[in-house]
Amino acid sequence: MKRISINRIIVGVAATLLIGALATSCRTATDQSGHADAAQAVYVPPGSYDEFYSFMSGGFSGQVTVMGLPSGRLLKTIPVFSQHAENGWGYDEETKAMLNTSYGFVPWDDSHHPQLSQTNGVPDGRWLFINGNNTPRIARIDLKSFETAEIVEIPLSAGNHASPFITENSEYVVAATRFSVPIPQRDISISEYKEQFKGTISFVRADRPGEMEVAFQIMVPGYDYDLSTAGTGPSHGWAFLSTYNVEQANTLKEVNASQRDKDFIAAVNWKRAEECVEAGNFEEWDVTYLRNVKPHQGIATTTTLSGSKMLQPADCDGLVYFLPTPKSPHGVDVDPTGEFIVGGGKLATVLPVHSFTKMLKAIEDKEFEGMADGIPVLKYDAIIAGEVENAGLGPLHTQFDGRGSAYTTAFLSSEIVKWDIETFTVVDRIPVYYSVGHLMIPGGDSRQPAGKYLVALNKITKDRYLPTGPELAHSAQLIDISGDKMKMLLDFPTMGEPHYAQAIAADLVTPDQIKIYRLEENEHPYATLSEADARVVREGTDVHVYMTSIRSHFAPDNIEGIRVGDTVYFHVTNLEQDWDVPHGFAMLGANASELLIMPGDTRTLVWKPTAVGVYPFYCTDFCSALHQEMQGYIRVSDAGSNVPISFHTGG
């Protein structure tokens, strides 16, 4: 490209950003303050519960945070892809394996898009899925325990951003590559991008707990696949994925990936894919990837899975179509009727709404404007249902209230725009603070939205909270959408960068909550089910401490006979059978976090003493009035010492 063209494009993008900044800076104090009865609308009296659980992506924390709505109170951080010192996730022997990947032990990731399991297109409260963006993975969280139960890798992928979007009956979670790469990976020049780089769309079996695996993959052109959503109702059986960089640029993408007026939404007929797999019209690729499973009680295990059923669109007619969509579409969302497909072109001046009915007709009539890597490109005019004008600068994501209205975020102009999905006209707008990305209405991506609240997930906080140095909290804002006009209710900070969120009525989740793990059901191989069974066993240089904890002591709490060079395994079983009475365990000099052990559960901390002495250990969770007394000692002798193993509690 000539330098002058690049400069013009840069000037154009800069002008757009300036307009957005000016739009943001012109807000008045009244705009930012909400309304007088907002406090009453979000007030949850002491001892009362919130109406909704909200599951927020932790972004670069790699976790999920659980917040109550409408209060915005933080209820829990669920560790997923990153080590979590607060409860020992990824540090203790029971959970380390959950962070195994084909790249080795990876204790961090970038979590983006939580997704609730569905039945008949409605969130059912069984599981929550979330993607690891950096090392392509998908996790399943069990909502009976609010713990990560399973993580599976996505092979032949790089940048698992368009993930994990669920189909109507949780048959699959869909994932796609943000970064196209050589597939399979090999040593070639980056200059061969257009010829050699490809993307993949993966369908991961999701409705079989403990058995998540890649059912099949589809090889697609080397674009950037951004987000996904599944069809519902009449469009059930289809998945829709936004793409950008159809120019297939590999450098200075902010300019070179924005040359064309339209990119694509990829429409994938996954029912047709199942037929092609059943007929054997796929390539068997030699690849391995890992699946990690953590039972409620016990030790996580890692299984190596092998093989990928790779579908080539050319070998499975009717599998994929491209829907032209202006311009650099980011979000793609399907309305509750399953008829309308909304593309959020972040550089577009209008918000295009495609018709699923028209799409099928265009396919039947072969109204194609061309082919792209063997995939038919449908004619824009043949599939468009309408265009929403004046939908804000930088439209990104859309959700629905179930009453005929849609709500779209505008990143540059920092606002939520409400529009009518029959007339495609804007009916209301409200400023948010600032630079909103995703938004979330409880059930707003399902067949039954709860059209009461909307949460704006903002990228920039600026002046919304007390300053905390260069790093500021990220922010969400709660908006009342129950009436004709949107009303700002509440700001609340979030953990990590909030990308996406899901929410569900609390009464769909609370009845099945696990409060304790029953001791009689504890099958952990190192469990100690009574103080009488507590013991210390030497096996060469390995020493296993079978320990119990109960208010307010450990058994044993005095141990001798440990030597420098030993590896000591503390297998601590919490004997409590009462809700909300965990015990912690921390050891001086341990190169790991504490343990946090739930009632009836067993967790293991490994300690390698390096010097003689007497070392204390203690409970880290304030469990009773005599919590401070819940402690003990271990004597460590020279490596050649003949001090025998001995232990006791009391006496």
Side-chain angles (χ1 to χ4, degrees):
M1 172 183 290
K2 294 180 179 179
R3 174 57 58 185
I4 188 171
S5 299
I6 294 175
N7 289 341
R8 284 174 178 169
I9 292 170
I10 291 176
V11 169
V13 172
T16 304
L17 293 172
L18 177 61
I19 292 170
L22 290 172
T24 297
S25 65
C26 290
R27 303 282 159 64
T28 66
T30 303
D31 288 336
Q32 301 182 41
S33 62
H35 58 101
D37 58 352
Q40 183 175 357
V42 302
Y43 180 65
V44 177
S48 297
Y49 293 155
D50 280 288
E51 183 178 357
F52 294 96
Y53 285 105
S54 177
F55 302 96
M56 320 281 282
S57 74
F60 37 70
S61 79
Q63 320 293 41
V64 169
T65 53
V66 186
M67 310 185 92
L69 294 180
S71 73
R73 297 182 296 195
L74 174 64
L75 304 178
K76 183 182 175 71
T77 297
I78 303 174
V80 185
F81 297 114
S82 299
Q83 287 181 300
H84 192 61
E86 181 179 315
N87 69 354
W89 178 263
Y91 290 97
D92 63 44
E93 298 304 295
E94 284 68 24
T95 57
K96 279 182 180 175
M98 293 300 285
L99 304 182
N100 287 339
T101 77
S102 58
Y103 299 92
F105 179 78
V106 178
W108 172 87
D109 214 314
D110 183 17
S111 58
H112 275 232
H113 306 121
Q115 188 82 164
L116 287 161
S117 57
Q118 294 188 2
T119 300
N120 296 323
V122 179
D124 56 25
R126 289 181 294 169
W127 311 307
L128 182 79
F129 299 89
I130 191 163
N131 62 319
N133 187 42
N134 185 57
T135 303
R137 290 176 282 182
I138 295 175
R140 181 176 61 83
I141 296 166
D142 190 327
L143 293 184
K144 290 181 179 178
S145 61
F146 281 59
E147 293 178 344
T148 303
E150 187 173 7
I151 297 177
V152 67
E153 275 193 289
I154 310 297
L156 304 171
S157 177
N160 182 39
H161 191 268
S163 169
F165 295 94
I166 200 156
T167 57
E168 190 170 88
N169 287 299
S170 304
E171 299 96 336
Y172 301 106
V173 281
V174 182
T177 48
R178 174 183 175 187
F179 309 117
S180 289
V181 293
I183 298 176
Q185 278 286 8
R186 54 196 183 277
D187 178 15
I188 62 173
S189 170
I190 299 171
S191 64
E192 297 181 67
Y193 186 105
K194 288 187 178 180
E195 296 77 24
Q196 300 293 338
F197 285 41
K198 297 292 182 182
T200 55
I201 300 172
S202 303
F203 285 75
V204 178
R205 199 77 216 183
D207 54 356
R208 300 167 186 166
E211 300 179 8
M212 289 178 68
E213 64 178 356
V214 178
F216 54 87
Q217 295 182 288
I218 302 170
M219 185 74 74
V220 285
Y223 310 153
D224 291 34
Y225 296 82
D226 215 1
L227 287 167
S228 171
T229 189
T232 190
S235 54
H236 176 57
W238 290 77
F240 304 93
L241 300 100
S242 60
T243 77
Y244 61 98
N245 191 30
V246 297
E247 298 85 351
Q248 294 182 279
N250 58 278
T251 183
L252 199 59
K253 284 192 175 183
E254 64 176 331
V255 172
N256 295 325
S258 306
Q259 300 295 301
R260 293 179 48 156
D261 288 336
K262 293 183 178 66
D263 294 87
F264 300 133
I265 288 173
V268 178
N269 185 343
W270 58 262
K271 291 282 189 182
R272 175 65 182 143
E274 289 180 330
E275 292 174 355
C276 289
V277 170
E278 181 67 23
N281 296 334
F282 62 88
E283 299 169 356
E284 186 70 48
W285 283 50
D286 183 16
V287 66
T288 60
Y289 59 103
L290 303 187
R291 178 177 64 210
N292 310 316
V293 177
K294 171 72 176 69
H296 285 309
Q297 293 172 288
I299 303 171
T301 58
T302 297
T303 301
T304 299
L305 306 174
S306 60
S308 168
K309 296 179 174 61
M310 183 68 73
L311 291 163
Q312 301 285 354
D315 299 330
C316 179
D317 64 290
L319 177 60
V320 185
Y321 299 90
F322 284 140
L323 284 54
T325 302
K327 179 176 184 180
S328 298
H330 181 61
V332 55
D333 300 281
V334 173
D335 84 307
T337 70
E339 168 62 17
F340 297 116
I341 306 148
V342 184
K346 50 187 179 282
L347 299 177
T349 57
V350 297
L351 191 67
V353 183
H354 300 304
S355 162
F356 180 70
T357 302
K358 287 188 173 183
M359 185 194 84
L360 292 184
K361 184 71 164 53
I363 293 171
E364 181 181 354
D365 295 343
K366 299 186 183 303
E367 293 201 60
F368 305 146
E369 66 177 34
M371 304 289 282
D373 276 22
I375 296 173
V377 180
L378 301 175
K379 291 181 179 178
Y380 183 75
D381 291 341
I383 59 174
I384 194 73
E387 294 177 336
V388 182
E389 297 183 350
N390 196 22
L393 296 174
L396 293 182
H397 303 282
T398 300
Q399 295 250 300
F400 307 89
D401 65 8
R403 300 189 300 271
S405 295
Y407 302 77
T408 298
T409 58
F411 180 84
L412 290 175
S413 50
S414 291
E415 60 182 332
I416 305 292
V417 178
K418 178 181 178 181
W419 51 277
D420 188 302
I421 58 176
E422 290 190 358
T423 64
F424 310 113
T425 55
V426 173
V427 296
D428 191 23
R429 58 203 320 137
I430 188 171
V432 292
Y433 308 93
Y434 303 95
S435 300
V436 60
H438 279 277
L439 75 169
M440 182 274 290
I441 294 171
D445 61 347
S446 76
R447 299 185 74 173
Q448 290 182 6
K452 188 173 183 178
Y453 299 114
L454 180 155
V455 176
L457 298 161
N458 305 322
K459 298 298 184 185
I460 298 175
T461 305
K462 293 292 187 187
D463 52 5
R464 302 303 288 181
Y465 304 112
L466 288 172
T468 54
E471 183 183 10
L472 301 176
H474 288 260
S475 176
Q477 292 185 296
L478 185 71
I479 297 169
D480 179 354
I481 59 168
S482 60
D484 292 336
K485 294 292 185 181
M486 293 180 279
K487 298 178 181 178
M488 182 65 70
L489 296 178
L490 178 71
D491 283 13
F492 56 99
T494 62
M495 304 293 287
E497 182 186 2
H499 288 274
Y500 189 37
Q502 294 267 272
I504 189 170
D507 58 12
L508 285 176
V509 176
T510 55
D512 294 326
Q513 287 298 286
I514 294 174
K515 295 184 176 180
I516 63 168
Y517 296 110
R518 297 192 179 282
L519 278 172
E520 61 269 27
E521 297 174 0
N522 187 335
E523 297 181 350
H524 192 296
Y526 295 98
T528 308
L529 302 184
S530 72
E531 285 194 15
D533 294 326
R535 61 199 184 278
V536 181
V537 178
R538 174 176 289 283
E539 297 175 356
T541 57
D542 290 345
V543 178
H544 293 271
V545 179
Y546 294 82
M547 179 179 283
T548 64
S549 61
I550 195 167
R551 285 165 287 184
S552 298
H553 63 272
F554 294 102
D557 64 2
N558 277 225
I559 301 171
E560 299 194 12
I562 307 300
R563 303 169 190 155
V564 172
D566 282 344
T567 299
V568 184
Y569 297 85
F570 295 96
H571 310 291
V572 186
T573 299
N574 182 348
L575 297 180
E576 305 282 358
Q577 292 290 268
D578 189 9
W579 190 25
D580 195 23
V581 189
H583 288 295
F585 179 83
M587 183 72 228
L588 174 63
N591 298 124
S593 74
E594 63 149 357
L595 300 176
L596 189 64
I597 314 135
M598 297 301 114
D601 200 7
T602 302
R603 292 295 169 106
T604 302
L605 182 146
V606 177
W607 177 56
K608 296 182 178 182
T610 57
V612 300
V614 177
Y615 293 77
F617 58 85
Y618 71 105
C619 175
T620 54
D621 192 276
F622 207 106
C623 54
S624 73
L626 297 177
H627 160 76
Q628 291 296 85
E629 284 76 3
M630 193 167 178
Q631 55 179 273
Y633 290 103
I634 293 183
R635 174 187 172 187
V636 177
S637 304
D638 280 330
S641 168
N642 59 2
V643 175
I645 290 288
S646 65
F647 55 88
H648 64 87
T649 302

